[in-house]
Amino acid sequence: MIRTVNLDIRKGEYLSDALRRNGKENIPTRVILNKVLPGLGATYCEIMSERSSIIIEPNVPVIVGKTEKHKNLLGVYRGVKTDEVARHIRKHPVGCKIMVTPESFRKVKQAMEDEGVDMYNDFFMLFDECEKIIQDNDFRETIGAPLDDFFLFRQMAFVSATPILPRDPRFEEHGFTELRVVPDYNYRKPLRLITTNNVVETLAEVLTECKSKVCIFVNSIDTIESLYKEMAELKNSTTFCSTQGIAKLRNLRDRSTHDRIADLKRYNFFTSRFFSAVDIDVRCKPDIILLSDLYGAEQSVIDPRTEAIQIAGRFRNGFRSLTHIASIKLSLEAMNSSEVDEWLSSARQAMTEIREKSKKDKRRGYRETYMEAAVNLSYLQFVYQNGKDDYFRQDNFREQERVKSLYRSADNLFNAYRDVPFFEVSHEDKQYPLNDNDRLARHRQTSRKLRRMFLLEQFEKIAYLRFSADEKEQDRYNRYLSRMLSSDYDCMFHECYLRKGADYIRSIDFKDSEIKRAVEEAGSTVFRKKQQVKEIVEKQFRIGEVYMGSDISVILSAAYRKVGLPVNKRVNTTVLKEYFELKEERTNAVRYIRIVKKK
């Protein structure tokens, strides 16, 4: 059990201030430093210390940002050669500072050997954002590559604002303690949690409330690609992701991409490599949105206990608003902590028994069958090649199951946020007639007839919005249509639905020729009647006069009925804009529309 020791910090202090006030010149050795708050300057504290240091950073953008600010610091990642590291070591015999990704640590080790440097005794090793060794362990097999060397250092530490205490027994064996920073002031940040059955529509509505630059954090390139495809309003956008992620993006018209921090646009997407440690310097206070799209990408779940805190800490100048939009998936399979422990224990026992049986029995068929079974055991991912437990991989499994379980109900996710001291959380639930499954199913329709049948069902689901007097619901209706109608044929099909109705379309068995003829016949009739409406409207509404919205609807509805056009929705000022330029005015909170001039 790792013992916890507290370190108090006062408002306005950085980590170095709190350490010195408590008699510590530098980050102590053999600690897991739990900063609690992002942005306390732990990395800066180590870079500015007089001792030689190797700082492990999980992601390249952090290293790029730090080396631009600190000229004495060498960044080592893909593309940086071993001899460049060696030259830096020779140039800085004292106070040598190296920041390196886990995957490139071997270059640093080789350079140390080439230069005859006793790395383990002469350097302090700091593993920054240490929870990433656990969280990223399943898809970054080499992220833990420096760990065996880590425990050989005379002085070493883990650090993060959101550490996950590891179960690897080597931490106890080397006498590690958790040094937990305890602020003596209120540091909670307001967070708005919105659980929903439609992340795209929820995002569209939240964006209308954003007054500043918008920073959207989502751990899925596929989800970002889907949003670009679905939401025409996401112009003037940029995506910050890896070079591999950039290659996956297709809908990039009027949008840019970067693998490191650059100038922000109106809408800015960030993948997980920018969730932690990276300083995003922006003069304004942005609107921050966290997005978890379980139906589009289950891996896009965001952990309130770690990732949400890290994201909120990226902006040193603060933020205007912080919102987490999350879909909930009741069918999501997840084990609780005791179930995970039982599975790992029993799976290990089964692996041991199978291996023993493959060795002991002399019958060839028996032995070979068990040997084949041993090769395919699912538990093998949780052990090293020598058969010893990979505790970090096991902790990764535990964390994945814990976070997934939060998204099985809105209450689970809300309670998880409520239990995090960093946030003051409010919760609302938004449910829509079309959900995330409808969106994905629409894209999966391959044949034209199946697509028509599916579209028709969706038209019927949202039909009630056309009759609503609420402008927000009519805006929602129009957004739904803009996403559903992706071709000229879709538009013609929708026009047929409006003119002839769903029963007619089913009666003609969705035939192309009948749909086209119905639209053409209705079009010529509607054109004539629209001209008659125009004549009536221009006589009824006077230039310079002001009208209440309800009066406009009454006059327009009467005109539609007079010429025989169906009033299948509450006709409002949107129709009047076809004929006049309008100006909205308010008097004592009452909204009026002034007729400016004819079009």
Side-chain angles (χ1 to χ4, degrees):
M1 188 72 178
I2 296 176
R3 186 170 61 93
T4 299
V5 177
N6 291 335
L7 174 73
D8 69 294
I9 192 167
R10 298 167 184 170
K11 193 168 186 178
E13 283 188 333
Y14 287 100
L15 178 66
S16 56
D17 302 320
L19 287 172
R20 281 195 292 269
R21 189 165 44 76
N22 285 271
K24 299 174 175 64
E25 189 63 29
N26 298 313
I27 296 172
T29 186
R30 300 176 194 273
V31 299
I32 299 174
L33 176 56
N34 183 353
K35 299 186 299 178
V36 175
L37 301 176
L40 288 184
T43 312
Y44 178 83
C45 177
E46 188 55 40
I47 292 172
M48 301 306 292
S49 69
E50 295 183 359
R51 64 189 174 190
S52 295
S53 312
I54 298 171
I55 304 169
I56 307 287
E57 286 289 351
N59 293 309
V60 174
V62 182
I63 300 177
V64 172
K66 297 298 183 185
T67 53
E68 287 176 350
K69 294 178 180 178
H70 303 281
K71 301 306 178 184
N72 65 323
L73 179 67
L74 176 69
V76 185
Y77 43 89
R78 181 183 295 178
V80 178
K81 306 296 183 183
T82 302
D83 59 355
E84 294 179 61
V85 183
R87 281 198 302 271
H88 184 75
I89 294 170
R90 288 196 299 271
K91 185 178 179 181
H92 301 276
V94 178
C96 183
K97 301 294 179 181
I98 299 172
M99 185 172 282
V100 57
T101 61
E103 290 82 357
S104 288
F105 174 72
R106 57 182 173 75
K107 301 176 190 175
V108 176
K109 185 177 179 180
Q110 184 62 55
M112 294 285 183
E113 292 176 0
D114 294 345
E115 294 300 312
V117 176
D118 185 356
M119 174 178 67
Y120 302 117
N121 282 312
D122 295 348
F123 279 75
F124 178 84
M125 190 178 200
L126 182 68
F127 214 124
D128 197 14
E129 308 306 334
C130 59
E131 74 278 0
K132 288 296 182 182
I133 311 176
I134 292 173
Q135 290 178 326
D136 294 358
N137 201 277
D138 57 329
F139 66 90
R140 282 179 70 180
E141 294 181 1
T142 54
I143 193 171
L147 280 171
D148 288 339
D149 290 284
F150 175 81
F151 289 104
L152 297 176
F153 278 76
R154 182 172 58 87
Q155 293 185 310
M156 67 289 204
F158 268 24
V159 62
S160 178
T162 56
I164 300 169
L165 296 185
R167 300 194 182 205
D168 191 316
R170 289 178 290 182
F171 287 91
E172 286 190 57
E173 292 167 5
H174 285 79
F176 270 73
T177 58
E178 179 194 12
L179 181 59
R180 182 181 178 85
V181 174
V182 181
D184 68 353
Y185 54 91
N186 179 24
Y187 57 89
R188 286 178 176 261
K189 306 295 184 185
L191 180 140
R192 176 189 183 192
L193 172 64
I194 305 177
T195 51
T196 181
N197 67 340
N198 190 326
V199 295
V200 174
E201 181 57 28
T202 305
L203 176 61
E205 292 189 358
V206 171
L207 288 181
T208 64
E209 303 167 7
C210 296
K211 307 302 181 185
S212 183
K213 291 184 176 179
V214 183
C215 296
I216 305 170
F217 292 79
V218 52
N219 188 22
S220 169
I221 284 291
D222 291 337
T223 296
I224 296 173
E225 174 74 5
S226 176
L227 293 172
Y228 280 159
K229 186 176 181 180
E230 290 274 333
M231 302 177 66
E233 59 264 46
L234 290 177
K235 294 177 181 177
N236 192 17
S237 301
T238 190
T239 302
F240 297 93
C241 62
S242 66
T243 52
Q244 294 89 340
I246 291 173
K248 293 181 181 178
L249 290 167
R250 294 288 180 268
N251 291 283
L252 291 178
R253 186 176 182 181
D254 300 321
R255 303 178 180 104
S256 59
T257 57
H258 299 280
D259 63 355
R260 58 190 64 181
I261 296 299
D263 291 338
L264 301 189
K265 293 193 174 182
R266 171 68 172 122
Y267 302 110
N268 306 275
F269 287 89
F270 299 86
T271 59
S272 59
R273 75 197 315 246
F274 296 93
F275 282 13
S276 59
V278 182
D279 293 340
I280 303 177
D281 296 319
V282 56
R283 291 182 180 178
C284 66
K285 294 181 184 294
D287 291 293
I288 304 174
I289 298 174
L290 287 58
L291 197 66
S292 298
D293 176 20
L294 266 71
Y295 289 86
E298 281 191 6
Q299 76 273 18
S300 68
V301 292
I302 289 176
D303 180 18
R305 199 166 73 184
T306 57
E307 292 165 315
I309 295 173
Q310 289 286 356
I311 290 168
R314 294 312 94 228
F315 301 89
R316 298 297 188 245
N317 195 37
F319 50 84
R320 180 179 173 272
S321 67
L322 178 62
T323 304
H324 186 179
I325 300 171
S327 51
I328 298 298
K329 197 172 185 179
L330 301 177
S331 61
L332 194 64
E333 294 184 1
M335 289 187 273
N336 60 37
S337 59
S338 60
E339 289 172 334
V340 170
D341 289 341
E342 192 278 331
W343 189 94
L344 288 170
S345 175
S346 58
R348 184 176 229 300
Q349 182 181 352
M351 181 190 72
T352 303
E353 291 176 359
I354 288 173
R355 285 182 169 177
E356 290 299 317
K357 288 181 179 181
S358 69
K359 295 176 183 177
K360 290 180 178 179
D361 201 286
K362 295 181 179 180
R363 290 171 293 173
R364 180 179 175 182
Y366 186 95
R367 188 175 65 255
E368 288 183 355
T369 299
Y370 269 105
M371 290 174 68
E372 289 176 4
V375 170
N376 294 296
L377 290 171
S378 59
Y379 187 76
L380 289 178
Q381 63 183 308
F382 300 111
V383 295
Y384 295 111
Q385 288 184 341
N386 60 9
K388 291 185 178 180
D389 284 305
D390 183 345
Y391 292 100
F392 282 92
R393 182 68 185 88
Q394 293 177 16
D395 284 345
N396 169 269
F397 180 44
R398 289 187 174 91
E399 284 300 299
Q400 283 186 332
E401 295 301 304
R402 178 186 66 81
V403 177
K404 280 196 298 183
S405 69
L406 304 180
Y407 288 81
R408 296 174 68 180
S409 80
D411 286 343
N412 285 358
L413 189 56
F414 172 63
N415 289 333
Y417 267 115
R418 196 169 56 179
D419 291 341
V420 176
F422 192 85
F423 296 114
E424 194 71 54
V425 61
S426 62
H427 176 224
E428 55 194 277
D429 189 67
K430 290 180 176 288
Q431 300 296 311
Y432 300 93
L434 300 183
N435 57 37
D436 291 313
N437 262 339
D438 292 325
R439 166 171 53 96
L440 297 171
R442 186 171 71 247
H443 295 309
R444 288 194 291 263
Q445 306 307 317
T446 53
S447 76
R448 177 174 283 187
K449 183 173 180 179
L450 287 175
R451 178 173 175 78
R452 292 180 207 139
M453 293 172 66
F454 188 79
L455 283 177
L456 187 60
E457 290 176 1
Q458 295 200 327
F459 292 158
E460 291 178 305
K461 281 185 179 180
I462 65 173
Y464 75 94
L465 295 173
R466 294 164 54 211
F467 297 90
S468 175
D470 188 337
E471 288 188 12
K472 288 185 177 180
E473 291 201 335
Q474 290 197 10
D475 288 342
R476 187 178 302 153
Y477 175 75
N478 291 328
R479 284 197 299 268
Y480 281 142
L481 287 182
S482 69
R483 295 178 200 132
M484 285 189 281
L485 307 180
S486 58
S487 68
D488 290 340
Y489 182 82
D490 288 345
C491 294
M492 182 177 70
F493 181 65
H494 179 249
E495 187 69 20
C496 183
Y497 163 72
L498 291 179
R499 301 305 174 193
K500 305 293 281 187
D503 290 340
Y504 170 79
I505 292 174
R506 291 190 176 99
S507 72
I508 61 173
D509 196 28
F510 299 87
K511 290 179 181 176
D512 274 351
S513 57
E514 296 296 328
I515 290 171
K516 185 176 181 181
R517 184 165 62 236
V519 171
E520 288 174 349
E521 290 176 354
S524 60
T525 302
V526 169
F527 179 78
R528 290 195 305 271
K529 292 184 177 181
K530 282 278 190 176
Q531 288 298 110
Q532 293 174 327
V533 169
K534 183 173 186 264
E535 293 172 4
I536 296 172
V537 166
E538 289 179 348
K539 289 179 180 178
Q540 293 295 322
F541 292 97
R542 298 180 180 277
I543 305 298
E545 294 292 328
V546 294
Y547 299 84
M548 293 182 65
S550 56
D551 294 338
I552 291 172
S553 296
V554 169
I555 295 170
L556 290 174
S557 296
Y560 269 53
R561 292 191 186 96
K562 183 174 182 179
V563 302
L565 283 174
V567 185
N568 51 15
K569 64 178 177 178
R570 181 98 182 244
V571 181
N572 57 25
T573 53
T574 302
V575 174
L576 197 59
K577 289 177 183 177
E578 296 177 18
Y579 311 109
F580 298 103
E581 286 188 13
L582 308 178
K583 180 181 178 182
E584 183 177 319
E585 298 178 359
R586 290 184 179 272
T587 304
N588 297 327
V590 179
R591 175 174 172 263
Y592 294 96
I593 301 297
R594 183 178 296 277
I595 311 297
V596 179
K597 65 179 181 179
K598 289 183 182 180
K599 285 189 173 180

PDB file of all heavy atoms in Angstrom, residues 533-547:
ATOM      1  N   VAL A 533     -50.170  34.051 -53.720  1.00  0.00           N
ATOM      2  CA  VAL A 533     -49.867  34.420 -52.332  1.00  0.00           C
ATOM      3  C   VAL A 533     -49.066  35.722 -52.299  1.00  0.00           C
ATOM      4  O   VAL A 533     -49.316  36.618 -51.485  1.00  0.00           O
ATOM      5  CB  VAL A 533     -49.082  33.295 -51.616  1.00  0.00           C
ATOM      6  CG1 VAL A 533     -48.532  33.784 -50.272  1.00  0.00           C
ATOM      7  CG2 VAL A 533     -49.970  32.084 -51.411  1.00  0.00           C
ATOM      8  N   LYS A 534     -48.083  35.834 -53.204  1.00  0.00           N
ATOM      9  CA  LYS A 534     -47.237  37.025 -53.266  1.00  0.00           C
ATOM     10  C   LYS A 534     -48.080  38.284 -53.470  1.00  0.00           C
ATOM     11  O   LYS A 534     -47.874  39.317 -52.827  1.00  0.00           O
ATOM     12  CB  LYS A 534     -46.225  36.870 -54.401  1.00  0.00           C
ATOM     13  CG  LYS A 534     -45.217  38.022 -54.520  1.00  0.00           C
ATOM     14  CD  LYS A 534     -44.171  37.679 -55.559  1.00  0.00           C
ATOM     15  CE  LYS A 534     -43.094  38.740 -55.577  1.00  0.00           C
ATOM     16  NZ  LYS A 534     -43.220  39.752 -56.532  1.00  0.00           N
ATOM     17  N   GLU A 535     -49.067  38.217 -54.377  1.00  0.00           N
ATOM     18  CA  GLU A 535     -49.919  39.380 -54.645  1.00  0.00           C
ATOM     19  C   GLU A 535     -50.718  39.762 -53.408  1.00  0.00           C
ATOM     20  O   GLU A 535     -50.859  40.951 -53.082  1.00  0.00           O
ATOM     21  CB  GLU A 535     -50.858  39.068 -55.804  1.00  0.00           C
ATOM     22  CG  GLU A 535     -50.136  38.880 -57.140  1.00  0.00           C
ATOM     23  CD  GLU A 535     -51.074  38.390 -58.230  1.00  0.00           C
ATOM     24  OE1 GLU A 535     -52.294  38.286 -57.946  1.00  0.00           O
ATOM     25  OE2 GLU A 535     -50.608  38.097 -59.351  1.00  0.00           O
ATOM     26  N   ILE A 536     -51.234  38.752 -52.696  1.00  0.00           N
ATOM     27  CA  ILE A 536     -52.016  39.024 -51.482  1.00  0.00           C
ATOM     28  C   ILE A 536     -51.134  39.646 -50.396  1.00  0.00           C
ATOM     29  O   ILE A 536     -51.508  40.640 -49.754  1.00  0.00           O
ATOM     30  CB  ILE A 536     -52.669  37.729 -50.964  1.00  0.00           C
ATOM     31  CG1 ILE A 536     -53.674  37.181 -51.984  1.00  0.00           C
ATOM     32  CG2 ILE A 536     -53.338  37.964 -49.608  1.00  0.00           C
ATOM     33  CD1 ILE A 536     -54.217  35.816 -51.633  1.00  0.00           C
ATOM     34  N   VAL A 537     -49.963  39.044 -50.196  1.00  0.00           N
ATOM     35  CA  VAL A 537     -49.054  39.499 -49.134  1.00  0.00           C
ATOM     36  C   VAL A 537     -48.610  40.939 -49.370  1.00  0.00           C
ATOM     37  O   VAL A 537     -48.580  41.761 -48.443  1.00  0.00           O
ATOM     38  CB  VAL A 537     -47.829  38.566 -49.055  1.00  0.00           C
ATOM     39  CG1 VAL A 537     -46.716  39.197 -48.216  1.00  0.00           C
ATOM     40  CG2 VAL A 537     -48.240  37.222 -48.475  1.00  0.00           C
ATOM     41  N   GLU A 538     -48.293  41.284 -50.609  1.00  0.00           N
ATOM     42  CA  GLU A 538     -47.809  42.631 -50.894  1.00  0.00           C
ATOM     43  C   GLU A 538     -48.895  43.681 -50.697  1.00  0.00           C
ATOM     44  O   GLU A 538     -48.586  44.860 -50.478  1.00  0.00           O
ATOM     45  CB  GLU A 538     -47.250  42.686 -52.318  1.00  0.00           C
ATOM     46  CG  GLU A 538     -45.936  41.922 -52.459  1.00  0.00           C
ATOM     47  CD  GLU A 538     -45.392  41.960 -53.876  1.00  0.00           C
ATOM     48  OE1 GLU A 538     -46.146  42.380 -54.784  1.00  0.00           O
ATOM     49  OE2 GLU A 538     -44.235  41.558 -54.080  1.00  0.00           O
ATOM     50  N   LYS A 539     -50.145  43.254 -50.772  1.00  0.00           N
ATOM     51  CA  LYS A 539     -51.245  44.183 -50.511  1.00  0.00           C
ATOM     52  C   LYS A 539     -51.515  44.320 -49.012  1.00  0.00           C
ATOM     53  O   LYS A 539     -51.925  45.389 -48.541  1.00  0.00           O
ATOM     54  CB  LYS A 539     -52.520  43.711 -51.207  1.00  0.00           C
ATOM     55  CG  LYS A 539     -52.474  43.848 -52.728  1.00  0.00           C
ATOM     56  CD  LYS A 539     -53.766  43.345 -53.342  1.00  0.00           C
ATOM     57  CE  LYS A 539     -53.735  43.465 -54.882  1.00  0.00           C
ATOM     58  NZ  LYS A 539     -54.989  42.925 -55.487  1.00  0.00           N
ATOM     59  N   GLN A 540     -51.330  43.237 -48.251  1.00  0.00           N
ATOM     60  CA  GLN A 540     -51.680  43.220 -46.829  1.00  0.00           C
ATOM     61  C   GLN A 540     -50.610  43.868 -45.941  1.00  0.00           C
ATOM     62  O   GLN A 540     -50.931  44.458 -44.911  1.00  0.00           O
ATOM     63  CB  GLN A 540     -51.912  41.772 -46.357  1.00  0.00           C
ATOM     64  CG  GLN A 540     -53.139  41.122 -46.965  1.00  0.00           C
ATOM     65  CD  GLN A 540     -54.414  41.810 -46.508  1.00  0.00           C
ATOM     66  OE1 GLN A 540     -54.536  42.223 -45.352  1.00  0.00           O
ATOM     67  NE2 GLN A 540     -55.367  41.966 -47.416  1.00  0.00           N
ATOM     68  N   PHE A 541     -49.337  43.742 -46.312  1.00  0.00           N
ATOM     69  CA  PHE A 541     -48.260  44.266 -45.473  1.00  0.00           C
ATOM     70  C   PHE A 541     -47.723  45.565 -46.080  1.00  0.00           C
ATOM     71  O   PHE A 541     -47.437  45.627 -47.276  1.00  0.00           O
ATOM     72  CB  PHE A 541     -47.126  43.237 -45.352  1.00  0.00           C
ATOM     73  CG  PHE A 541     -47.512  42.019 -44.561  1.00  0.00           C
ATOM     74  CD1 PHE A 541     -47.943  40.858 -45.205  1.00  0.00           C
ATOM     75  CD2 PHE A 541     -47.450  42.032 -43.174  1.00  0.00           C
ATOM     76  CE1 PHE A 541     -48.303  39.737 -44.488  1.00  0.00           C
ATOM     77  CE2 PHE A 541     -47.813  40.904 -42.442  1.00  0.00           C
ATOM     78  CZ  PHE A 541     -48.245  39.749 -43.096  1.00  0.00           C
ATOM     79  N   ARG A 542     -47.573  46.601 -45.219  1.00  0.00           N
ATOM     80  CA  ARG A 542     -47.164  47.921 -45.687  1.00  0.00           C
ATOM     81  C   ARG A 542     -45.717  48.215 -45.282  1.00  0.00           C
ATOM     82  O   ARG A 542     -45.285  47.902 -44.169  1.00  0.00           O
ATOM     83  CB  ARG A 542     -48.082  49.002 -45.100  1.00  0.00           C
ATOM     84  CG  ARG A 542     -49.538  48.847 -45.534  1.00  0.00           C
ATOM     85  CD  ARG A 542     -50.396  49.937 -44.928  1.00  0.00           C
ATOM     86  NE  ARG A 542     -51.779  49.792 -45.341  1.00  0.00           N
ATOM     87  CZ  ARG A 542     -52.281  50.245 -46.486  1.00  0.00           C
ATOM     88  NH1 ARG A 542     -51.493  50.894 -47.326  1.00  0.00           N
ATOM     89  NH2 ARG A 542     -53.555  50.077 -46.791  1.00  0.00           N
ATOM     90  N   ILE A 543     -44.973  48.829 -46.190  1.00  0.00           N
ATOM     91  CA  ILE A 543     -43.587  49.202 -45.937  1.00  0.00           C
ATOM     92  C   ILE A 543     -43.519  50.191 -44.775  1.00  0.00           C
ATOM     93  O   ILE A 543     -44.286  51.157 -44.720  1.00  0.00           O
ATOM     94  CB  ILE A 543     -42.941  49.836 -47.190  1.00  0.00           C
ATOM     95  CG1 ILE A 543     -43.071  48.892 -48.396  1.00  0.00           C
ATOM     96  CG2 ILE A 543     -41.466  50.168 -46.923  1.00  0.00           C
ATOM     97  CD1 ILE A 543     -42.374  47.583 -48.234  1.00  0.00           C
ATOM     98  N   GLY A 544     -42.614  49.934 -43.837  1.00  0.00           N
ATOM     99  CA  GLY A 544     -42.413  50.823 -42.700  1.00  0.00           C
ATOM    100  C   GLY A 544     -43.245  50.485 -41.489  1.00  0.00           C
ATOM    101  O   GLY A 544     -42.973  50.983 -40.393  1.00  0.00           O
ATOM    102  N   GLU A 545     -44.289  49.640 -41.653  1.00  0.00           N
ATOM    103  CA  GLU A 545     -45.156  49.277 -40.535  1.00  0.00           C
ATOM    104  C   GLU A 545     -44.499  48.159 -39.709  1.00  0.00           C
ATOM    105  O   GLU A 545     -43.637  47.426 -40.191  1.00  0.00           O
ATOM    106  CB  GLU A 545     -46.520  48.804 -41.033  1.00  0.00           C
ATOM    107  CG  GLU A 545     -47.336  49.883 -41.717  1.00  0.00           C
ATOM    108  CD  GLU A 545     -47.794  50.961 -40.748  1.00  0.00           C
ATOM    109  OE1 GLU A 545     -48.030  50.628 -39.566  1.00  0.00           O
ATOM    110  OE2 GLU A 545     -47.897  52.128 -41.170  1.00  0.00           O
ATOM    111  N   VAL A 546     -44.933  48.045 -38.422  1.00  0.00           N
ATOM    112  CA  VAL A 546     -44.453  46.967 -37.554  1.00  0.00           C
ATOM    113  C   VAL A 546     -45.613  46.025 -37.253  1.00  0.00           C
ATOM    114  O   VAL A 546     -46.778  46.447 -37.148  1.00  0.00           O
ATOM    115  CB  VAL A 546     -43.843  47.505 -36.239  1.00  0.00           C
ATOM    116  CG1 VAL A 546     -42.587  48.299 -36.510  1.00  0.00           C
ATOM    117  CG2 VAL A 546     -44.852  48.342 -35.463  1.00  0.00           C
ATOM    118  N   TYR A 547     -45.312  44.737 -37.119  1.00  0.00           N
ATOM    119  CA  TYR A 547     -46.323  43.709 -36.889  1.00  0.00           C
ATOM    120  C   TYR A 547     -45.822  42.745 -35.815  1.00  0.00           C
ATOM    121  O   TYR A 547     -44.618  42.468 -35.719  1.00  0.00           O
ATOM    122  CB  TYR A 547     -46.606  42.911 -38.159  1.00  0.00           C
ATOM    123  CG  TYR A 547     -47.141  43.736 -39.301  1.00  0.00           C
ATOM    124  CD1 TYR A 547     -46.274  44.427 -40.151  1.00  0.00           C
ATOM    125  CD2 TYR A 547     -48.510  43.824 -39.538  1.00  0.00           C
ATOM    126  CE1 TYR A 547     -46.753  45.185 -41.203  1.00  0.00           C
ATOM    127  CE2 TYR A 547     -49.007  44.580 -40.598  1.00  0.00           C
ATOM    128  CZ  TYR A 547     -48.123  45.266 -41.424  1.00  0.00           C
ATOM    129  OH  TYR A 547     -48.614  46.014 -42.464  1.00  0.00           O
TER     130      TYR A 547
END
